[in-house]
Amino acid sequence: MKWAQFKKRLDDDGVLDKNERKKLFREYKTKKALEEDLKLSYVVWATYPDDDPLQKTFSLNRKGQRKYELFCGGFLYYHDVEFKKYPTGDDGNLVFEHTVYFEWLPKEKGEAKTHVKIYVNPTPPEFNPNPPKPPPPPPPESND
């Protein structure tokens, strides 16, 4: 399981260890590169609060966003590695790893985020089913 993230965001978040970055992240140097890859290699996994009419509003700062991103990463890891235990397929060499990207809205810098669109690379047919949608983000008091 990896997170798709901009190089600058990783730098700003203090993720400086090159081995950690290679193991945990799919880095993008430009917005254009990410947008092209989102169109070709990802599907929308969930959008909150839009996908859940009962979802309470949230307003997350960067720290709250990161907590939610880590939670969803653990959710995907559990689904892929512990729960699903994907079959190896006929050739015995099928390997699959989810990558997830979080688009936090509004996009204005410095504003608390009130919506999130989560992208994930689709699960290949031989590894189905796709993971269930993650729970929605936490309420505002979880920013700490």
Side-chain angles (χ1 to χ4, degrees):
M1 203 307 299
K2 290 186 177 189
W3 289 272
Q5 192 56 266
F6 289 111
K7 178 187 180 313
K8 182 174 180 350
R9 175 53 63 108
L10 293 173
D11 293 342
D12 292 348
D13 282 351
V15 183
L16 304 176
D17 184 295
K18 290 180 183 184
N19 292 327
E20 178 183 1
R21 286 170 85 138
K22 186 175 182 177
K23 182 178 179 180
L24 299 175
F25 298 95
R26 183 167 182 179
E27 279 189 54
Y28 292 89
K29 292 182 180 178
T30 66
K31 183 178 177 179
K32 182 180 179 181
L34 173 64
E35 288 174 349
E36 288 175 6
D37 212 18
L38 286 176
K39 290 178 190 173
L40 297 173
S41 304
Y42 293 80
V43 295
V44 175
W45 186 25
T47 303
Y48 292 114
D50 300 344
D51 285 352
D52 183 356
L54 302 176
Q55 166 68 30
K56 293 181 180 181
T57 59
F58 62 89
S59 178
L60 297 178
N61 61 22
R62 181 64 192 139
K63 187 174 181 180
Q65 293 165 35
R66 189 68 191 130
K67 284 180 180 181
Y68 182 65
E69 291 171 1
L70 289 171
F71 173 79
C72 289
F75 185 85
L76 271 178
Y77 175 84
Y78 180 79
H79 180 271
D80 289 354
V81 177
E82 300 300 327
F83 173 70
K84 184 60 181 135
K85 300 285 186 192
Y86 291 122
T88 58
D90 293 337
D91 66 1
N93 193 24
L94 294 174
V95 177
F96 176 70
E97 178 176 58
H98 273 111
T99 301
V100 64
Y101 174 72
F102 296 80
E103 180 180 17
W104 293 97
L105 304 166
K107 290 189 177 191
E108 289 79 28
K109 189 174 182 175
E111 291 201 21
K113 307 308 179 199
T114 58
H115 290 74
V116 64
K117 187 182 281 190
I118 308 169
Y119 297 85
V120 67
N121 57 324
T123 308
E126 55 271 24
F127 291 133
N128 269 343
N130 283 318
K133 289 186 182 200
E141 63 268 12
S142 67
N143 277 325
D144 297 326

